[in-house]
């Protein structure tokens, strides 16, 4: 689904708080400050899931977004992101490196570690994905964070062109699994090219991981989805699948449950779905036992699902 947040849809006094929550829901939690506190906050966010990627087109006034250790906390899996500037003026910093971005330039960031975005962020795009889907280990990706990938460079240009085309009509590409896969392959190509590798072809295990995650995402609403059915669909033994996914740091069943809970959370926060019963939302994403769903949701998000929705959107 696509989601849209506009600061001007809420009273002026609530706009910074509202957009801070929108950033957390669409990307990851960040501390948000901006320079001119008297300015009428003009921010907006438009986010969509495209295959296994989250693509977020956004605008914010001049200021900064900071991912602190306090905000990182616990997460179901490690995430990475690209931040691409559509207009000049944005700066992204991680590991002591700072990338000043011009139109079409982007930088790679590991979202499970602290980073900072600052400057004029009137028009930028975030592409968020599981680090396990990138055919590079942490030692290889660490030197790539916080550096500028110029829009005019060969591999970077392919990424930049496709990302900017996607956000021109982001709703049209919602759920487009093959396009998401193509973009992830281009990202892998740009990263491996920057490391000086002769080829930018994802490793076989990376491609298989991508297929497995896509399979899971496409079937989260099926209550029969299980480690056994996932393994069988990919001609793997359950042990082989667990070994392949061990980099995720979470058992397969727990990963499926976490993704289902996240889909439920997004539906509960959608104002257009406020009339849908909580039990119907749970059933839509594969939870057949309302009591079990309520317990799992409270464990994951700190509140029962009905109260969570009431406090967030009413």
């Amino acid at each position: 689904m696509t989601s849209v947040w506009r600061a001007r849809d809420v009273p002026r006094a609530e706009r910074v708080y509202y957009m801070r929550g929108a950033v957390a829901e669409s990307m990851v939690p960040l501390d948000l400050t901006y320079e001119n506190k008297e300015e009428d906050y003009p921010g907006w966010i438009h986010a969509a899931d495209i295959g296994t990627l989250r693509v977020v087109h956004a605008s914010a006034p001049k200021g900064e977004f900071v991912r602190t250790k306090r905000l990182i906390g616990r997460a179901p899996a490690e995430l990475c992101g690209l931040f691409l500037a559509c207009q000049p003026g944005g700066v992204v910093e991680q590991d002591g490196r700072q990338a000043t971005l011009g139109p079409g330039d982007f930088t790679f960031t590991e979202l499970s570690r602290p980073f900072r975005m600052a400057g004029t962020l009137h028009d930028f795009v975030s592409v968020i994905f599981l680090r396990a889907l990138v055919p590079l280990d942490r030692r290889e990706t660490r030197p790539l964070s916080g550096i500028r990938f110029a829009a005019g460079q060969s591999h970077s240009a392919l990424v930049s062109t496709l990302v900017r085309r996607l956000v021109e009509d982001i709703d049209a590409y919602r759920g487009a699994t093959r396009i998401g896969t193509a973009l992830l392959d281009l990202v892998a190509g740009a990263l491996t090219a920057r490391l000086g590798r002769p080829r930018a072809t994802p490793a076989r295990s990376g491609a298989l991981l991508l297929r497995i995650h896509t399979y899971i995402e496409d079937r989260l609403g099926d209550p029969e989805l299980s480690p056994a059915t996932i393994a069988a669909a990919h001609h793997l033994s359950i042990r082989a699948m667990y070994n392949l996914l061990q980099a995720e740091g979470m058992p397969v069943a727990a990963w499926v449950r976490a993704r289902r809970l996240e889909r439920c959370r997004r539906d509960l926060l959608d104002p257009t779905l406020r009339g849908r019963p909580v039990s119907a939302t749970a059933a839509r994403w594969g939870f057949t036992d309302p009591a079990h769903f309520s317990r799992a949701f409270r464990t994951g998000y700190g509140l029962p699902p009905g109260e969570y929705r009431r406090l967030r959107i009413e």
Side-chain angles (χ1 to χ4, degrees), residues 25-96:
E25 290 165 22
S26 61
M27 295 185 281
V28 291
L30 301 170
D31 277 337
L32 164 63
T33 59
Y34 66 105
E35 290 188 3
N36 186 356
K37 295 191 168 42
E38 301 303 318
E39 182 181 4
D40 185 18
Y41 193 104
W44 51 263
I45 295 174
H46 195 173
D49 295 321
I50 300 177
T52 56
L53 309 178
R54 193 104 211 268
V55 178
V56 182
H57 190 198
S59 176
K62 190 173 183 179
E64 68 175 12
F65 297 85
V66 181
R67 180 81 162 147
T68 63
K69 290 182 179 180
R70 176 182 61 82
L71 292 175
I72 290 169
R74 298 175 62 186
E78 289 188 63
L79 296 174
C80 296
L82 297 186
F83 293 96
L84 182 145
C86 298
Q87 296 183 17
V91 175
V92 180
E93 181 179 348
Q94 189 169 52
D95 295 329

Side-chain angles (χ1 to χ4, degrees), residues 142-193:
R142 185 65 65 94
L144 297 174
S145 62
I147 64 174
R148 173 175 165 264
F149 288 75
Q153 295 174 341
S154 56
H155 291 85
S156 304
L158 294 174
V159 175
S160 178
T161 299
L162 181 52
V163 170
R164 286 187 285 180
R165 180 64 189 90
L166 288 176
V167 298
E168 286 178 7
D169 191 6
I170 194 170
D171 292 323
Y173 298 104
R174 175 178 55 85
T177 299
R178 291 186 179 181
I179 291 177
T181 300
L183 176 54
L184 192 57
D185 285 347
L186 292 177
V187 169
L191 296 178
T192 54

